[in-house]
């Protein structure tokens, strides 16, 4: 599954993700800037925060409660586009998914 990371400055990076990997794991393996994955995917750090388009959000599926809570605790303003990439399980049907990297505040 090829997914695309876009940096705040517009730099695009395509990453070939393995099935079952999370967005965060694929990013860390490929060394994508701005995706740290400090907590190892336990939904505790929000250093894997990304923003997605409405269409991609729908493809990923709804947030679990734990993801929702983490986003609310670290962001003043949780936009509907905010997702934690460690909670995005990559599947073949997510081909071409675009994850916009955001600076963690
Ligand atoms: Fe820590 Fe996603 S890697 S919340």
């Amino acid at each position: 599954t090829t997914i695309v990371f876009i940096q705040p400055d517009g730099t695009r990076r395509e990453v070939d993700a393995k099935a079952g990997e999370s967005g965060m794991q694929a990013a860390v393996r490929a060394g994508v800037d701005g995706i740290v994955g400090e907590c190892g995917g336990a939904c505790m750090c929000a250093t894997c925060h990304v923003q997605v388009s409405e269409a991609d959000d729908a493809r990923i599926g709804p947030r679990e409660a734990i993801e929702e809570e983490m986003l609310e605790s670290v962001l003043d303003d949780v936009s509907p586009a905010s997702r934690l990439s460690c909670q995005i399980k990559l599947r073949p049907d997510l081909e071409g998914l675009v994850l916009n990297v955001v600076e963690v505040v």
Side-chain angles (χ1 to χ4, degrees):
T1 313
T2 303
I3 56 172
V4 181
F5 290 91
I6 300 184
Q7 294 295 327
D9 70 359
T11 312
R12 253 177 99 90
R13 175 86 188 272
E14 286 190 10
V15 173
D16 195 19
K18 299 181 181 132
E21 223 174 19
S22 72
M24 179 278 283
Q25 287 169 325
V28 169
R29 187 168 47 79
V32 173
D33 286 342
I35 306 280
V36 182
E38 213 167 77
C39 73
C43 213
M44 307 253 298
C45 69
T47 59
C48 64
H49 182 207
V50 292
Q51 293 201 319
V52 299
S53 68
E54 220 174 290
D56 278 343
D57 185 56
R59 286 209 289 167
I60 295 165
R63 300 177 182 133
E64 301 280 348
I66 182 172
E67 182 181 357
E68 193 88 45
E69 280 165 27
M70 188 63 221
L71 284 167
E72 278 170 13
S73 69
V74 290
L75 301 173
D76 292 336
D77 185 21
V78 181
S79 103
S82 291
R83 303 289 309 223
L84 292 175
S85 60
C86 68
Q87 300 303 305
I88 302 174
K89 291 281 171 276
L90 298 167
R91 317 176 298 258
D93 63 303
L94 290 176
E95 177 68 33
L97 186 73
V98 176
L99 302 178
N100 295 284
V101 177
V102 274
E103 313 289 346
V104 179
V105 277

